[in-house]
Amino acid sequence: MTLTTILAATAMLFAANDSTIVLHGVTVVDAAKRDFQMKSSQNSVRVSQTYLEENVAGSLMQSLEGIPGVKAMSIGSGQSKPTIRGLGFNRMVVTEDGIKHEGQQWGDDHGLEMDQFAIDHAEVVKGPAALLHGSDAIGGVLNLFTNHVPVTPFEGAAQVFGRTNNGQIGFSAKVGGRHKRFFYRANMTFVDYADYKVPTDSIQYYSYYIRLKDRCLRNTAGKEQDGSVTLGYMHNGFHTDIRVSDSYSKSGFFANAHGLEVRLSDIDYDHSSRDIDLPYQWVNHLKVLSHTVWQNDRWMLEANLAYQKNMREEHSEPVSHGYMPIPDGSLERRFSKDTYTGKVGIRCGFASQHELRAGASVEHQRNKQSGWGFIIPSFTSTSAGAYVFDRYTVQENLILNAGMRYDHAHTHMHHYEDWYETPISATESVFKQRSAEMSRNFNSITWSAGINYGTGNWVFKANVGKSFRVPIPKELGADGINYHIFRYEKGNPQLDPEESYQLDCGIFWDNQVLTIQIDPYLNYFPNYIYMNPTPDYVEGLQLYNYAQSRVFRWGFEAQVDYAISSHWEAQLKGEYLYAEQLSGEKKGYTLPFSTPWSVDGGVKYLFDWKGKGFAGLNAHIVGTQNEIVPPEKTTKGHWTLNASAGKHFALGATTLKVALHADNLLNKRYYDHTSYYRLIDVPEPGRNFSLMVGLEF
Amino acid sequence: MKKNFLSLMLLCALCACSSSDEEKDMTKPEVVESDTACPLECDTYHKGGTIPFKYLFKDNQELGNFNIEIHNNFDHHTHSGSAVECELGAQKQPQNPWVYNKSFEIPEGVSTYLAEEGIAIPTDIDAGDYHFMIRLTDKASWQQIKSVAIKIVDAE
């Protein structure tokens, strides 16, 4: 994965024009496809801007969901988090231009905090990627690139877009230019959406019956405002740029249930479907990223520096809970996280067949929490790591690679006491401690080795690797009630770094007409950190404690592309995943949020009439998920019919792009096993049409 | 190293296959509703009196523990849509609301258990609408929740 990431980054930087291999588009060069397969022993999928434009959805992750093995865990219509092969949160990494994107990754009720319209292209690496990214890169990495270098003195694009299901309207524009050695880029995006529609008149949850007005999910409206500016200099193999970006979003939570609790409020939610009332959240992500590359024929030096400030507030109507009296104000929780990252890397070739890379990174993090609700303590953490990696081209069609990395991490958690008293006897009350002052050090050695072999129409790949994850403060130190999910969560200060071993294979076959790809994998965790529900009660709520158990997973993704004629293309793709806990109290059970199998079949008609165009139809079939673990519910399978069409029009020197997308054409009512609102029986959005009109100049 | 690892993987795969026929509990425990259970929806109790809690619990394998929690509903923060809709008193600010929260153990190894507890109602609490929450787990940690709306009134 190191290869693809760095190569992708450098290719973007130094190529005179965008050299992205369009995997999902229409202009696929077979040799390029094969070269891409030979580039890394890991399974990765590159996603072009064309793909992102054609598949634009409510959130970036929803746009990427068409890639086998990638899923979005959605909260509402405008926010979602990624999972790769069923692993999400702190078990995968999102990077932007090589720097790890730091939000509140552990939380399931907010999104990625990223402007999807600023992204030039993306790459999904499936499988362990600890070598380049250190902790967390267990399931895979989503690499996002916003580093396109303008080629003309002035260029730009503007887009307007809308969605019918949640009344979304949006505008995004970017400009850029290059003047000799200097270049600049700027972009901004505004999105505003209303409550989203579900194909049902009411929702039944436990013994509660919630009637919906106009089939709208009350108070799920939101808005997003993003902007960025990049300034750069490049000359004679030296390139440096600095990018400042800010992403702000505010969105409501479904008003009739906050977390798992059904709520009745005096707020007149039905007054407007576009306003955002309590409960709501806002998130702001500020990022300053400096990227420098210096290269000649023999070596390349790269240095990245970044500062990220992630702020998040969650507001809800103050109510008393257990021994907690009615709090003052609506601020339930607030997180303020500062992250400083530094990364250096070197790549050099020797003995003509070897390409050696080495790198080091440091990171410092401070996360402060406040508000009347408590989930994680404030903490600071510092980590450092270094790696070396060699890629050995034995012959043109046989490439071996191997690498090793060492990481050290230090986490310091601050103590936290309730702001209210809890009686401990008939006469005595105390401010209960929910988190103790604690320091931990973690060390990890990770490695990876792989092979690429090409023969005839075939490319075979195998990669074996170890990855790890430093336990997060919530897992180490939580000791309190999570009122969102109504459970008592108890951390375990003794947790070891979670380790994962994975064997990935890739089988690729391609002739001019047919492309077949199968990516199977085996994955073993000797100590998966699992929040284990117990039969016991603490302070009136079910006790969940963090434990480590052995876990085995296996699965595969498969994809067949068939170019029937110059006008017709067909595609069939699918994924399957199995997970089982081999030890611990939940031995024999699966893992939480297990992704059910799914299959996608589609046909596409391509035409060229005053510019390129296409129209396509796709059926998305998802299997029933009966493999669950308490407190989940089984989820029935479903299928949806979706359509998309796009057309380019040449208008002088500019190009007009129109993309139309229809989701869930039959307005089917179904549940997504991994959706946040699944727990309270809220179905997924109903029929939706989206339209995007863009102008490139 | 690599060879060892591959054999380890294979071993795991085999383990996974052989252990999959183990019996997993996939069924939630049950709080049995009946006319003899207590309290029932909309029941009224007096300050200084006792709630004679009595419910039958059942599980397909083995029961875990249970918890009883009572909190006020003066702000009408939740509403029950069950067959019986109780008439709620006017909304008000709590002065000294009753907070009751106690966990109880069920003897090990039983799949049916009749829980009976006398819950004393304090005399100095706010009268009004309360929620009586019964939470029940089984050994596999599936949880069942039952919410009963009750009313506490002044002593006669």
Side-chain angles (χ1 to χ4, degrees), chain A residues 179-197:
Chain A
H179 299 274
K180 291 177 185 156
R181 297 175 184 180
F182 295 93
F183 65 90
Y184 73 94
R185 288 183 58 172
N187 91 299
M188 59 180 185
T189 300
F190 299 95
V191 185
D192 190 285
Y193 52 91
D195 300 345
Y196 74 94
K197 287 192 187 69

Side-chain angles (χ1 to χ4, degrees), chain A residues 137-177:
Chain A
I138 294 174
V141 185
L142 171 62
N143 289 311
L144 304 171
F145 298 96
T146 53
N147 56 4
H148 167 71
V149 177
V151 288
T152 60
F154 181 75
E155 62 185 47
Q159 293 166 321
V160 287
F161 46 91
R163 288 170 75 78
T164 55
N165 180 272
N166 61 356
Q168 186 200 67
I169 43 167
F171 170 77
S172 181
K174 49 185 167 192
V175 290

Side-chain angles (χ1 to χ4, degrees), chain A residues 4 21 47 55-56 81 94 97 99 106 127 154 224 249 251 267 309 357 376 396 463 498 537 551 605 697:
Chain A
T4 17
I21 298 153
V47 183
N55 293 279
V56 67
K81 280 207 166 163
V94 178
D97 300 330
I99 290 283
W106 50 271
F154 181 75
E224 186 184 326
S249 72
S251 57
I267 297 172
K309 184 163 188 73
R357 276 147 221 273
I376 62 162
E396 187 265 324
N463 191 83
E498 179 178 283
Y537 285 96
V551 166
Y605 176 72
F697 49 86

Side-chain angles (χ1 to χ4, degrees), chain A residues 562-573:
Chain A
Y562 179 30
I564 304 164
S565 70
S566 58
H567 287 296
W568 289 94
E569 279 180 4
Q571 187 182 63
L572 189 67
K573 57 191 179 187

Side-chain angles (χ1 to χ4, degrees), chain A residues 413-621:
Chain A
M413 286 159 31
H414 300 285
H415 65 94
Y416 177 88
E417 283 84 30
D418 282 341
W419 54 273
Y420 56 90
E421 290 183 301
T422 300
I424 50 166
S425 70
T427 52
E428 230 186 320
S429 291
V430 293
F431 294 97
K432 276 209 164 181
Q433 183 170 36
R434 297 301 180 189
S435 165
E437 198 86 9
M438 180 180 24
S439 273
R440 282 285 311 268
N441 286 297
F442 304 96
N443 297 297
S444 270
I445 290 175
T446 47
W447 47 263
S448 140
I451 180 170
N452 289 55
Y453 177 66
T455 176
N457 294 343
W458 300 85
V459 176
F460 298 98
K461 305 204 260 193
N463 191 83
V464 55
K466 181 192 170 192
S467 50
F468 82 106
R469 173 173 87 84
V470 170
I472 59 173
K474 184 175 187 253
E475 295 163 333
L476 292 168
D479 190 5
I481 295 164
N482 182 345
Y483 280 115
H484 257 198
I485 320 278
F486 269 85
R487 60 192 178 202
Y488 192 97
E489 299 177 353
K490 188 150 180 54
N492 178 353
Q494 305 308 323
L495 292 176
D496 291 321
E498 179 178 283
E499 295 180 338
S500 162
Y501 298 89
Q502 185 158 324
L503 171 68
D504 278 277
C505 293
I507 302 159
F508 174 85
W509 187 88
D510 176 62
N511 68 4
Q512 303 297 323
V513 180
L514 206 60
T515 306
I516 299 168
Q517 184 162 354
I518 302 166
D519 300 334
Y521 58 94
L522 292 174
N523 177 210
Y524 173 70
F525 287 87
N527 56 359
Y528 186 96
I529 300 173
Y530 171 65
M531 192 166 59
N532 178 48
T534 73
D536 302 326
Y537 285 96
V538 176
E539 293 179 26
L541 291 169
Q542 196 181 357
L543 171 69
Y544 283 62
N545 56 20
Y546 283 97
Q548 295 193 289
S549 58
R550 290 190 293 122
V551 166
F552 172 72
R553 308 186 327 127
W554 71 272
F556 65 89
E557 293 95 39
Q559 181 164 341
V560 181
D561 286 280
Y562 179 30
I564 304 164
S565 70
S566 58
H567 287 296
W568 289 94
E569 279 180 4
Q571 187 182 63
L572 189 67
K573 57 191 179 187
E575 63 184 88
Y576 173 80
L577 165 61
Y578 177 85
E580 184 177 329
Q581 303 193 38
L582 302 179
S583 69
E585 283 179 39
K586 295 293 174 290
K587 188 180 169 187
Y589 286 88
T590 185
L591 290 174
F593 298 114
S594 269
T595 316
W597 65 261
S598 66
V599 172
D600 265 272
V603 285
K604 209 167 169 183
Y605 176 72
L606 311 157
F607 59 93
D608 202 335
W609 177 77
K610 294 181 180 173
K612 286 196 155 70
F614 79 94
L617 203 62
N618 155 283
H620 179 61
I621 306 152

